[in-house]
């Protein structure tokens, strides 16, 4: 991600800003989640992973990212905790350890899924 | 996997007592008509049940007048009715940084629209507000003091009795948000000089979601309705009736919820509120003691569990609480609440913003085994994190 280029705009309680990611101008929120799922590409994933401190996504990490993308594409939402565990065949504790940012700010963000907005 | 360990009782108690649910269905099946509206006996019978429930609620909170028990959808609804009905342009309000958004957002809305001003009193390192700080913030135009009886993040029981006396000395009404205390901590509105109380049925009162109430002492007279409509009385008049409780109730009441509330009050009466609280605190102490022995776990305002209810807030160092909650759910079958708990200023003060914390909240049906399994899970998560 190469810095912000546009003024911030408030939308609800999340803020949008335009960033250059993998050579493209992409809208993200204030936590660095993609604003539009369709802006995701494998190059964007690598750039977001690099932001988390991952030099290059390995095969296991790509399996996680692809699972999340496919699930979201089919169901229109992120997997529930139990679906994530069953679908990946690993514990969420192991999943959390796979990405420096953890599950939400690591795996989910790199996969380009929307920032979950359930009450926090 | 074993059965779900439910530790999100501060959000809503689960499960509800089977006897309450059974009686709800039985009674609603028998008299589920529009209460108090209509000339037939069944409507009168339903109306009588509503009246009796108002009496039970008034008695439960030490309120003098059952007609000033206003049924609402929940505590947020009750707080909105109270704040919008009591506050006028130029008024000042004193509240605290412990509040839930159910208080903060209506206050902020009124301030943003130029109607009121308010001051929020901080809490100390143990999670308590000092009554003297409340008094010191009272101004000549202070119309109301409003605060949570129990913090939904820290579980600390605020000194409402003392604050009530001090507010009365200054002739400023005190409204309490009893969302987290009702059903587990006794309240005596009259002797504590609490002018108004907002409660919800679905937490420690063990009733279903969708029923709550605003209970007013007689000192609250000039409260205006913020919604208008049918009340079942004085129907020929286009002006909404001023008589309590109808002044603040419009539309058909949630009879099923009121039946549930009536039954759950009986259930609490049989179990004994003190006994429920004692049981929950035994489990909370066990949880706190266990968590405090674990490396990598941070606890907030939990050193002393006096004046407390059965909830505890923690974090695993270096982990997003959202992830901890997901792991507890999927890997261990434990349901907790994570994030800011709709109380952002508490987390700002604790230094846990913007991601918040993990809240464990105990209910009357939790067991020692639930706590032991939770401790084992947290130990496993913390150990896993340390190994990196």
């Amino acid at each position: 991600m190469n810095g912000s280029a546009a003024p911030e705009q408030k939308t609800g309680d999340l803020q949008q800003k335009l960033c250059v990611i993998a050579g493209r101008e992409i809208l993200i929120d204030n936590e660095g989640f993609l604003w539009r799922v369709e802006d995701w590409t494998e190059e964007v994933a690598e750039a977001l992973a690099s932001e988390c401190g991952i030099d290059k996504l390995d095969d296991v990490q790509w399996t996680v990212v692809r699972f999340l993308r496919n699930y979201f594409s089919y169901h229109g939402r992120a997997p529930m905790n139990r679906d994530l565990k069953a679908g990946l065949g690993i514990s969420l504790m192991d999943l959390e350890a796979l990405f420096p940012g953890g599950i939400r700010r690591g795996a989910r963000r790199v996969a380009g899924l929307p920032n979950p907005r359930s009450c926090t | 996997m074993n059965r779900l360990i439910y530790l999100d009782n501060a959000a809503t108690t689960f499960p509800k007592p089977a006897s309450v649910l059974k009686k709800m269905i039985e009674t609603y099946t028998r008299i589920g008509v529009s209460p108090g509206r209509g000339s037939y006996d069944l409507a009168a019978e339903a109306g009588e049940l509503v009246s009796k429930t108002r009496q039970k609620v008034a008695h439960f909170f030490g309120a003098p007048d059952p007609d000033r028990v206003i049924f609402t959808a929940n505590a947020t609804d009750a707080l909105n009715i109270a704040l919008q009905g009591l506050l006028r342009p130029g008024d000042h309000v004193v509240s605290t940084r412990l509040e839930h958004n159910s208080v903060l957002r209506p206050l902020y809305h009124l301030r943003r629209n130029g109607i009121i001003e308010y001051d929020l009193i901080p809490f100390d390192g143990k999670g308590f507000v000092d009554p003297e700080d409340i008094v010191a913030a009272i101004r000549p135009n202070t119309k109301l003091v409003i605060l949570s009886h129990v913090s939904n993040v820290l579980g600390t029981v605020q000194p409402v009795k003392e604050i009530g006396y001090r507010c009365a000395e200054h002739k400023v009404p005190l409204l309490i948000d009893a969302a987290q205390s009702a059903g587990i901590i006794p309240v005596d509105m009259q002797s504590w000089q609490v002018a108004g109380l907002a409660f919800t049925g679905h937490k420690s009162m063990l009733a279903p979601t969708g029923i709550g109430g605003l209970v007013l002492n007689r000192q609250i007279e000039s409260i205006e309705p913020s919604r208008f409509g049918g009340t079942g009385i004085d129907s020929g008049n286009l002006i909404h009736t001023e008589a309590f409780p109808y002044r603040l109730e419009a539309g058909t009441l949630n009879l099923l919820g009121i039946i549930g509330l009536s039954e759950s009050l009986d259930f609490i009466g049989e179990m004994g509120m003190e006994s429920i609280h004692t049981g929950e605190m035994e489990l909370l102490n066990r949880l706190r003691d266990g968590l405090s022995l674990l490396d990598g776990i941070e606890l907030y305002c939990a050193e002393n569990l006096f004046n407390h209810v059965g909830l505890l807030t923690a974090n695993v160092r270096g982990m997003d609480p959202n992830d901890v909650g997901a792991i507890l759910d999927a890997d261990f079958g434990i349901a907790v609440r994570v994030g800011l708990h709709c109380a952002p200023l508490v987390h700002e003060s604790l230094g846990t913003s913007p991601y918040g914390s993990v809240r464990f909240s105990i209910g009357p049906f939790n067991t020692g085994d639930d706590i032991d399994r939770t401790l084992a899970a947290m130990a496993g998560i913390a150990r896993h994190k340390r190994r990196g």
Side-chain angles (χ1 to χ4, degrees):
Chain A
M1 205 182 293
N2 299 319
S4 62
E8 290 189 347
Q9 174 195 342
K10 280 206 167 185
T11 306
D13 54 356
L14 289 178
Q15 295 172 343
Q16 292 180 345
K17 58 182 176 182
L18 205 53
C19 270
V20 177
I21 304 174
R24 292 169 51 211
E25 283 197 333
I26 292 177
L27 268 181
I28 59 168
D29 72 16
N30 48 331
E31 285 195 273
F33 283 79
L34 298 192
W35 201 263
R36 292 187 294 250
V37 183
E38 58 273 21
D39 279 338
W40 185 90
T41 62
E42 293 193 353
E43 291 72 31
V44 167
E46 288 288 6
L48 293 173
S50 164
E51 279 248 312
C52 295
I54 300 170
D55 285 342
K56 189 166 175 53
L57 288 165
D58 64 23
D59 289 347
V60 182
Q61 288 162 331
W62 269 117
T63 303
V64 172
V65 169
R66 290 201 176 99
F67 172 79
L68 287 168
R69 294 290 308 173
N70 291 340
Y71 192 100
F72 190 89
S73 168
Y74 186 79
H75 295 275
R77 61 166 174 82
M80 289 187 192
N81 298 326
R82 60 173 177 266
D83 299 326
L84 190 54
K85 183 180 179 182
L88 290 170
I90 59 171
S91 70
L92 293 203
M93 204 148 57
D94 287 336
L95 172 60
E96 195 272 344
L98 275 179
F99 289 80
I103 301 168
R104 189 177 79 90
R105 282 182 284 148
R108 182 170 175 142
R109 195 171 75 91
V110 169
L113 268 54
N115 196 347
R117 300 188 64 188
S118 58
C119 180
T120 60
Chain B
M1 188 179 284
N2 294 320
R3 68 176 173 84
L4 175 81
I5 295 173
Y6 184 78
L7 292 176
D8 195 19
N9 290 283
T12 193
T13 45
F14 176 80
K16 303 302 182 198
S19 60
V20 170
L21 298 175
K22 184 167 177 276
K23 286 288 281 186
M24 282 173 66
I25 292 169
E26 279 174 10
T27 309
Y28 197 70
T29 302
R30 191 167 54 80
I31 60 163
V33 298
S34 186
R37 291 157 160 88
S39 57
Y40 49 98
D41 284 353
L42 211 54
E45 207 179 326
E48 197 170 287
L49 186 146
V50 171
S51 296
K52 281 185 176 163
T53 309
R54 289 193 209 276
Q55 288 168 19
K56 278 187 191 177
V57 171
H59 177 71
F60 189 74
F61 291 118
D65 185 356
D67 282 345
R68 287 168 189 250
V69 172
I70 289 96
F71 287 121
T72 65
N74 46 49
T76 300
D77 193 26
L79 289 162
N80 272 273
I81 290 169
L83 292 172
Q84 290 177 43
L86 287 169
L87 299 174
R88 303 284 174 273
D91 285 343
H92 173 256
V93 176
V94 177
S95 190
T96 82
R97 290 180 64 84
L98 282 171
E99 303 313 308
H100 187 278
N101 275 338
S102 57
V103 170
L104 294 176
R105 285 181 171 172
L107 288 180
Y108 183 74
H109 173 80
L110 290 167
R111 186 172 76 177
R112 196 172 61 165
N113 285 289
I115 296 167
I116 66 161
E117 294 178 305
Y118 59 79
D119 284 302
L120 300 179
I121 306 305
F123 53 93
D124 66 18
K126 294 176 179 169
F128 295 95
V129 169
D130 186 339
E132 293 309 316
D133 291 342
I134 301 263
V135 171
I138 290 175
R139 302 181 194 168
N141 63 333
T142 300
K143 182 72 176 290
L144 188 70
V145 170
I146 178 168
L147 83 157
S148 311
H149 189 190
V150 168
S151 162
N152 73 310
V153 178
L154 303 172
T156 46
V157 182
Q158 302 305 312
V160 163
K161 186 176 177 180
E162 195 180 342
I163 293 169
Y165 291 155
R166 301 306 310 275
C167 286
E169 283 170 9
H170 289 78
K171 298 189 177 3
V172 177
L174 169 65
L175 176 64
I176 62 170
D177 171 5
Q180 294 294 339
S181 61
I184 196 77
I185 300 292
V187 176
D188 190 338
M189 288 179 66
Q190 256 188 304
S191 74
W192 295 5
Q193 307 200 50
V194 170
L197 174 150
F199 73 93
T200 192
H202 70 97
K203 297 181 191 279
S204 289
M205 293 187 85
L206 306 176
T209 50
I211 187 68
L214 175 65
V215 186
L216 299 175
N217 226 325
R218 288 203 181 95
Q219 71 192 95
I220 299 269
E221 262 306 331
S222 60
I223 184 165
E224 295 295 323
S226 51
R227 58 190 72 175
F228 308 87
T231 55
I233 64 162
D234 198 19
S235 296
N237 196 341
L238 283 180
I239 297 173
H240 192 90
T241 181
E242 291 194 354
F244 286 104
Y246 313 106
R247 182 193 293 200
L248 301 175
E249 285 177 353
T252 304
L253 292 170
N254 173 5
L255 181 62
L256 184 60
I258 291 168
I259 296 167
L261 185 63
S262 174
E263 293 300 332
S264 70
L265 284 169
D266 289 348
F267 180 88
I268 291 169
E270 284 162 22
M271 291 271 291
M273 192 158 49
E274 189 174 357
S275 163
I276 296 172
H277 181 248
T278 301
E280 292 182 9
M281 289 309 294
E282 278 174 14
L283 297 181
L284 189 75
N285 274 281
R286 188 165 172 167
L287 180 64
R288 189 275 313 269
D289 291 349
L291 287 175
S292 62
L293 294 174
L294 301 177
D295 284 342
I297 302 287
E298 290 173 5
L299 296 171
Y300 303 99
C301 300
E303 276 178 35
N304 188 334
L305 296 182
F306 287 114
N307 290 322
H308 222 276
V309 300
L311 75 86
L312 194 63
T313 293
N315 265 321
V316 179
R317 211 166 288 130
M319 285 184 77
D320 185 329
N322 284 278
D323 290 351
V324 177
I327 292 166
L328 285 170
D329 183 27
D331 294 352
F332 299 98
I334 299 168
V336 295
R337 178 71 178 272
V338 297
L340 297 178
H341 312 101
C342 297
L345 300 185
V346 179
H347 286 285
E348 207 175 279
S349 296
L350 293 175
T352 46
S353 286
Y355 301 115
S357 62
V358 182
R359 183 183 72 185
F360 303 89
S361 53
I362 293 162
F365 303 116
N366 285 120
T367 64
D369 182 57
D370 291 349
I371 301 305
D372 293 343
R373 283 175 54 195
T374 302
L375 287 169
M378 289 297 285
I381 294 169
R383 194 166 49 242
H384 201 267
K385 189 64 189 173
R386 285 199 308 275
R387 283 187 197 138

